[in-house]
Amino acid sequence: SEQDKTAKMKFEKKQTIECSFQPLGIKFVTDNAIYVLTKESVYLQCFQYDESKSLFVENSTLAVCTALKNAAISQDVKMPESVLETDSRGQIKLVKVQQKPAFAKNEELWNNSSRLLTAKKRAARRRKRRREGGNVD
């Protein structure tokens, strides 16, 4: 039957992970690890799943953690305290990288991030002309 084919999932809290600072980002990776981006002095906390304890335990000896920490310290990187922290001009410090415009080198037109907005505006103008009884393109 159709009901047998659908998978039923149940989530329940197994563990709370303690971070040294407010997390700025969290990434779950396939090797049973969780990476937590935090502010300076730690920068990246790594938690790996310990099968014997059935828990995530902190592993600060991973190469990626030490490499990121050393690079950030040598470059004197200052991390914000939260994802909503603003700079002196009132702009949010952490901003998502925007998609490249379509006219950039080797980019196709359908990769243009403003394409959808342009299409919506065109459709609105078309509906307006239709309501007013004008010609439709």
Side-chain angles (χ1 to χ4, degrees):
S1 74
E2 185 66 32
Q3 198 173 28
D4 294 334
K5 293 179 184 177
T6 59
K8 294 182 180 178
M9 297 172 58
K10 182 180 178 185
F11 294 100
E12 60 182 74
K13 180 179 172 181
K14 295 275 187 185
Q15 175 185 359
T16 300
I17 294 176
E18 296 293 326
C19 298
S20 55
F21 293 99
Q22 172 76 28
L24 298 172
I26 299 171
K27 178 73 177 176
F28 298 91
V29 290
T30 56
D31 62 345
N32 290 330
I34 300 172
Y35 295 107
V36 180
L37 183 67
T38 62
K39 63 181 277 141
E40 53 271 349
S41 80
V42 177
Y43 294 105
L44 186 67
Q45 284 186 278
C46 305
F47 297 91
Q48 288 192 311
Y49 189 72
D50 186 349
E51 303 249 352
S52 63
K53 298 179 183 177
S54 296
L55 294 171
F56 282 94
V57 292
E58 186 172 5
N59 185 356
S60 58
T61 60
L62 289 176
V64 68
C65 293
T66 55
L68 179 69
K69 184 175 181 177
N70 293 338
I73 290 171
S74 68
Q75 297 293 318
D76 195 32
V77 174
K78 299 292 181 202
M79 299 290 284
E81 299 228 1
S82 78
V83 293
L84 299 176
E85 188 174 327
T86 57
D87 61 12
S88 60
R89 296 175 299 164
Q91 301 293 321
I92 294 179
K93 286 186 177 181
L94 288 179
V95 178
K96 184 177 178 182
V97 176
Q98 297 294 323
Q99 187 177 8
K100 294 178 185 175
F103 52 83
K105 255 187 191 177
N106 300 328
E107 288 290 327
E108 299 297 335
L109 182 62
W110 54 84
N111 286 338
N112 186 351
S113 59
S114 63
R115 179 179 57 83
L116 183 61
L117 182 60
T118 304
K120 284 181 180 181
K121 287 179 180 178
R122 180 173 184 238
R125 289 191 308 270
R126 190 173 188 191
R127 283 191 302 271
K128 184 179 178 184
R129 282 194 304 267
R130 189 176 288 159
R131 279 191 303 250
E132 293 173 354
N135 276 344
V136 179
D137 58 2

